[in-house]
């Protein structure tokens, strides 16, 4: 396994690569120790198993690709379900899934967001005279 190294003198096991619990939650390593007698013919060894379990730790905050305010213009009368925009975000945590949601400013519930894809659509027919701007 190329994810770990063992110091031959101290026996300390170190991690060489970033570990991801989503791809490999458990490592089963076979380790060996041997003595170093004066006469190499008399070398003795012992083998054991080392099980390493990787816990998933949420250490990174999700970040939108565009950290500035996203500005979109749509035509009045866009039908319900009409595409408005798609938001993109990432999270440096290993294979972390993201959930998108509208938490403020959705006047008259005019918009919907797909919580998995980040696609924003109209949830109602938009009327510029009634609501010219959604913030």
């Amino acid at each position: 396994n190329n994810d770990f190294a063992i110091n031959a003198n101290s026996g300390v096991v170190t991690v060489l690569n970033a570990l991801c619990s989503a791809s490999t939650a458990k490592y089963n390593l076979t380790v060996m120790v041997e003595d170093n007698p004066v006469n190499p013919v008399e070398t003795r060894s012992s083998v054991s198993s080392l099980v390493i379990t990787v816990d998933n730790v949420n250490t990174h905050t999700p970040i939108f690709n565009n950290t500035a305010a996203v500005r979109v213009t749509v035509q009045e009368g866009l039908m319900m379900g009409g595409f408005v925009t798609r938001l993109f975000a990432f999270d440096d945590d290993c294979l972390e899934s993201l959930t998108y949601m509208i938490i403020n400013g959705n006047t008259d519930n005019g918009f919907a967001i797909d919580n998995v894809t980040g696609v924003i659509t109209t949830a109602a027919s938009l009327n510029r005279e009634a609501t010219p701007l959604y913030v």
Side-chain angles (χ1 to χ4, degrees):
N1 184 303
N2 294 327
D3 293 321
F4 303 96
I6 187 166
N7 183 294
N9 296 319
S10 68
V12 172
V13 176
T14 56
V15 177
L16 300 177
N17 301 304
L19 304 179
C20 176
S21 64
S23 60
T24 307
K26 187 183 289 187
Y27 292 85
N28 294 299
L29 307 178
T30 303
V31 294
M32 182 178 81
V33 62
E34 65 182 15
D35 57 15
N36 295 303
V38 175
N39 182 352
V41 176
E42 297 174 356
T43 299
R44 301 288 184 257
S45 63
S46 180
V47 175
S48 183
S49 293
L50 172 61
V51 178
I52 299 172
T53 303
V54 181
D55 286 334
N56 184 16
V57 179
N58 189 4
T59 56
H60 298 281
T61 301
I63 299 172
F64 283 101
N65 287 12
N66 183 355
T67 56
V70 176
R71 298 186 186 280
V72 178
T73 302
V74 296
Q75 297 298 313
E76 181 178 28
L78 183 63
M79 300 300 289
M80 183 174 164
F83 178 83
V84 175
T85 191
R86 181 175 181 185
L87 302 175
F88 292 94
F90 63 93
D91 189 328
D92 283 335
D93 287 317
C94 170
L95 301 177
E96 193 77 27
S97 64
L98 301 175
T99 303
Y100 295 89
M101 62 195 83
I102 298 172
I103 61 168
N104 194 15
N106 195 8
T107 305
D108 299 327
N109 294 317
F111 300 94
I113 189 167
D114 184 297
N115 67 338
V116 175
T117 66
V119 170
I120 296 179
T121 56
T122 54
S125 184
L126 304 180
N127 181 336
R128 183 172 188 253
E129 286 77 28
T131 309
L133 182 64
Y134 294 86
V135 180

